[in-house]
Amino acid sequence: MPWRNKEASSPSSANPSPEALQSPSSRGNMADKLKDPNTLGFLEAAVKISHTSPDIPAEVQRSVKEHIMRHTRLQRQTTEPASSTRHTSFKRHLPRQMHVSSVDYGNELPPAAEQPTSIGRIKPELYKQKSVEGDDAKTEAKTCGKINFSLRYDYENETLIVRILKAFDLPAKDFCGSSDPYVKIYLLPDRKCKLQTRVHRKTLNPTFDENFHFPVPYEELADRKLHLSVFDFDRFSRHDMIGEVILDNLFEASDLSQETSIWKDIQYATSESVDLGEIMFSLCYLPTAGRLTLTVIKCRNLKAMDITGYSDPYVKVSLLCDGRRLKKKKTTIKKNTLNPVYNEAIIFDIPPENMDQVSLLISVMDYDRVGHNEIIGVCRVGISAEGLGRDHWNEMLAYPRKPIAHWHSLVEWQGRAASFDSESSCPSPRPPPTP
């Protein structure tokens, strides 16, 4: 190599004196040597060994360092794999995430840079965890004592006999530290037939021991609910509601052939719950195709929204992701009925990796030709839902390619109806025509 020949021919050049290094002629010779390509290649190799060599000028070190950094940036470029076009519209709404572990940093970086630290990063899963002790305290705060009652069916007279026995540990509603409790009894969905006990003065542990008869055929008992509302009587103002008990399944304790005593916790409530009805639908997910099918089967005992005593219901299903609505689809409208039958399928394309980020909001609406459509009730299913909504979703994921059907009770919508049904950013299509 040239530099070896020069070193062998002049040994004194290997160890120059300080005076020689400081002379202008020596600096000029050094600059001429650096212009030689062979010398630059040697210096580039030398930089990897020692970045602080006194024999190399600072401008040469900077040029070599920039060349190495450009080579490193080329190695860092990566290309995302092409995704399915069918899920493009769904993924467009999802927040773009950067996966640091998938980037190749090359061999020239130190090993510490290949293992990014997690210090300072937010972990969303920590905020989704629920404390068991917090749930227990929340449940205890919602209870307002207990109530004891019994059920029996009289087959001969086709009558359900409800016997209110007693209540225990009721909260005090009066200034004297006591209450004047009584109980209202409904057999839902019929609210016209309302029965109630006598008022018991100044007690938190009343004993009622009263019987109430509801004429109802035995075959209809499976579709009925028992609703008990506990009130505090007030002579000069509106009666205060203490709480309520709703028994969804009348056959929960026995077949009603014999009188069976039941104890229930009284749940806190400020007003009587209104029965909005129920909806039955099935869920089916195909992981290989990334397709979720919700089949709206039917509704029953919907709340009457028109002055005629009926409603014009249709069902709207919204696909939600992180609180935002991505898509919505609707069924046809059924005129003048409180028990519509649909049997209509609604399909959403959702990739398997995004199933834990989405949920479905099912809304039963009353169509109005003149004004705004009103919300009768809603229910929600998804991994973040509560109660039956979460259980139905998990059952669907546990049994893929199999339709799973359940009845869901409708609850009141807590948001603004106008913003829910018609949004400026996502204009709602017009309701489907009447069949």
Side-chain angles (χ1 to χ4, degrees), residues 134 147-148 245:
I147 189 169
N148 181 213
V245 171

Side-chain angles (χ1 to χ4, degrees), residues 75-89:
Q75 289 186 350
R76 289 186 182 183
Q77 294 180 358
T78 58
T79 304
E80 296 183 358
S83 59
S84 173
T85 57
R86 189 163 57 85
H87 294 144
T88 303
S89 61

Side-chain angles (χ1 to χ4, degrees), residues 263-328:
W263 279 95
K264 286 289 184 180
D265 290 329
I266 301 175
Q267 301 299 320
Y268 173 78
T270 57
S271 61
E272 289 188 271
S273 301
V274 179
D275 187 48
L276 303 176
E278 296 176 289
I279 181 173
M280 173 185 277
F281 58 86
S282 67
L283 296 175
C284 181
Y285 185 66
L286 302 177
T288 54
R291 180 172 299 168
L292 173 62
T293 302
L294 184 147
T295 302
V296 181
I297 301 174
K298 58 183 177 180
C299 301
R300 65 184 180 188
N301 303 324
L302 295 180
K303 180 183 177 182
M305 304 296 287
D306 300 337
I307 58 176
T308 60
Y310 293 97
S311 298
D312 301 326
Y314 68 94
V315 180
K316 179 170 67 175
V317 183
S318 302
L319 176 64
L320 306 179
C321 178
D322 296 332
R324 296 189 306 156
R325 186 174 68 181
L326 304 184
K327 293 182 180 179
K328 66 175 180 180

Side-chain angles (χ1 to χ4, degrees), residues 149-152 161-162 226 247 250 256 258-260 262:
F149 60 94
S150 66
L151 300 177
R152 182 175 66 86
I161 303 174
V162 180
L226 182 65
L247 185 64
L250 298 178
L256 303 181
Q258 296 181 352
E259 185 175 1
T260 304
I262 302 173

Side-chain angles (χ1 to χ4, degrees), residues 35-269:
K35 294 180 181 178
D36 187 4
N38 296 329
T39 307
L40 184 60
F42 160 69
L43 292 176
E44 182 177 343
V47 168
K48 296 184 180 180
I49 299 174
S50 174
H51 291 272
T52 59
S53 174
D55 297 334
I56 303 174
E59 57 182 6
V60 177
Q61 295 186 26
R62 285 196 299 269
S63 62
V64 175
K65 185 176 181 179
E66 291 177 0
H67 173 73
I68 296 175
M69 294 302 295
R70 283 196 300 270
H71 179 66
T72 303
R73 281 196 293 269
L74 290 176
Q75 289 186 350
R76 289 186 182 183
Q77 294 180 358
T78 58
T79 304
E80 296 183 358
S83 59
S84 173
T85 57
R86 189 163 57 85
H87 294 144
T88 303
S89 61
F90 176 82
K91 292 185 177 181
R92 185 172 63 250
H93 300 279
L94 295 177
R96 186 174 298 276
Q97 298 178 353
M98 179 178 179
H99 301 283
V100 183
S101 59
S102 62
V103 181
D104 183 14
Y105 290 97
N107 298 326
E108 296 168 347
L109 292 180
E114 298 180 0
Q115 298 178 357
T117 177
S118 60
I119 297 177
R121 293 187 180 181
I122 297 177
K123 297 182 179 181
E125 61 272 9
L126 297 179
Y127 298 92
K128 295 181 180 179
Q129 296 178 356
K130 296 183 179 180
S131 173
V132 177
E133 297 179 357
D135 292 345
D136 293 341
K138 187 176 181 180
T139 303
E140 292 178 2
K142 285 187 176 182
T143 59
C144 302
K146 294 178 178 291
I147 189 169
N148 181 213
F149 60 94
S150 66
L151 300 177
R152 182 175 66 86
Y153 188 75
D154 185 354
Y155 293 92
E156 196 173 313
N157 299 318
E158 291 190 341
T159 302
L160 177 67
I161 303 174
V162 180
R163 186 180 182 185
I164 306 298
L165 297 173
K166 56 186 174 181
F168 174 73
D169 197 20
L170 297 179
K173 291 292 185 177
D174 299 337
F175 291 108
C176 62
S178 185
S179 296
D180 302 325
Y182 68 95
V183 182
K184 290 183 181 179
I185 306 100
Y186 301 92
L187 192 61
L188 302 179
D190 183 15
R191 282 192 171 269
K192 296 179 180 179
C193 181
K194 177 187 69 173
L195 304 176
Q196 72 179 48
T197 67
R198 295 188 300 270
V199 178
H200 289 250
R201 299 287 184 178
K202 297 182 180 180
T203 177
L204 301 180
N205 301 283
T207 300
F208 299 101
D209 198 12
E210 298 182 43
N211 292 330
F212 302 93
H213 299 259
F214 292 92
V216 55
Y218 184 82
E219 55 271 13
E220 295 183 9
L221 291 177
D223 299 330
R224 298 297 191 99
K225 298 179 182 179
L226 182 65
H227 185 191
L228 307 178
S229 300
V230 184
F231 284 86
D232 171 54
F233 176 80
D234 196 324
R235 183 184 298 274
F236 302 105
S237 63
R238 187 176 180 179
H239 301 178
D240 297 326
M241 188 171 184
I242 297 176
E244 64 181 2
V245 171
I246 299 178
L247 185 64
D248 294 327
N249 183 13
L250 298 178
F251 299 97
E252 178 181 303
S254 69
D255 59 356
L256 303 181
S257 59
Q258 296 181 352
E259 185 175 1
T260 304
S261 178
I262 302 173
W263 279 95
K264 286 289 184 180
D265 290 329
I266 301 175
Q267 301 299 320
Y268 173 78

Side-chain angles (χ1 to χ4, degrees), residues 306 310-314 333-337 365-368:
D306 300 337
Y310 293 97
S311 298
D312 301 326
Y314 68 94
I333 302 172
K334 304 298 180 181
K335 289 286 188 178
N336 297 325
T337 179
M365 313 287 297
D366 174 53
Y367 173 71
D368 196 331

